[in-house]
Structure formats: structure tokens, C-alpha cells
Amino acid sequence: VAELIRLKRLDARARQKLAAERLAGFEIQANDKSYHLWLTLPAHWRSQTFVAAAARRDIALTPSTTFAVSPGHAPNAVRLALAAPSMDQLDSGLQTIVAMLNASEHDFDSTE
């Protein structure tokens, strides 16, 4: 069990490191022992719109509103789960997310 815990911690740390490198310049909240992080979206994106645009690119994100206790009190952020994809898939997904963050939500027509 101790070895499994050690390996999981190494894996989480590697995934967090990759995410931090790819998302450099954007505001994230993360813990290197965790398999998820919070990404604060630039002002020109709304979390629901960003989640929908990501879904059209086969990237599943969770908007902060899902975790809000009171409606209307969620930060403009999304939760990224890092554990499920392979490292190559994670890297590719993060690169797609960065491209989206650097573009306007108007560049992502809802009919794509």
C-alpha cells in the first residue's frame, strides 16, 4: 500500500507540473498532491461557455457553478481533472485549453 501511495503521489506531482507549465501565465489554484486544479478564466470567458467550447473538443471540464453553495456566487473558473487521461492526452488537452484561453469566446461559435 505504501508503494502504491508513493507512486500515486509521483504521478499526481508529474501531472500538476505539466499543467503548471502549460498554464503558465494563467491563474491556477493547485496542490501537487491532487489530481485536479482550479483555473480562473480570463474576463472575456464565462465558465459555462468555456466548458461547452471545450466539450466540442472532447475535453470535459466542470464549471465552478457546480460547486457553488449559493447560485450566483461562483468564481469565473473551471475545475480540471488531471488523473484520467494519459500524459500525452493531458498534454494535448492542456495545449487546446491554452489556445482557447488566448482566444475570444466569440471565436468559438456554438454551432461548431
Side-chain angles (χ1 to χ4, degrees), residues 1 5 12 16 34 40 44 48-49 53-54 75 83 92-93 96 99-100 102 109:
V1 172
I5 291 169
Q16 287 287 353
S34 174
T40 299
H44 63 272
Q48 298 287 2
T49 307
S92 176
T96 299
M100 291 172 58
N102 286 318
D109 186 297

Side-chain angles (χ1 to χ4, degrees), residues 4-44:
L4 181 58
I5 291 169
R6 186 184 75 77
L7 292 173
K8 288 291 189 182
R9 286 184 178 158
L10 288 172
D11 182 55
R13 191 171 297 125
R15 290 168 183 275
Q16 287 287 353
K17 182 176 186 267
L18 176 63
E21 288 169 359
R22 294 295 178 256
L23 297 170
F26 296 99
E27 183 182 341
I28 63 170
Q29 295 175 346
N31 181 309
D32 68 354
K33 294 179 182 129
S34 174
Y35 276 112
H36 76 275
L37 63 83
W38 284 97
L39 169 65
T40 299
L41 298 174
H44 63 272

Side-chain angles (χ1 to χ4, degrees), residues 56-101:
R56 289 191 297 275
R57 285 153 186 78
D58 296 323
I59 298 172
L61 303 173
T62 307
S64 59
T65 54
T66 302
F67 301 94
V69 176
S70 301
H73 294 285
N76 189 35
V78 292
R79 183 180 187 266
L80 280 71
L82 308 175
S86 70
M87 287 296 277
D88 288 340
Q89 290 171 322
L90 178 59
D91 188 30
S92 176
L94 289 166
Q95 289 180 44
T96 299
I97 288 170
V98 168
M100 291 172 58
L101 290 167

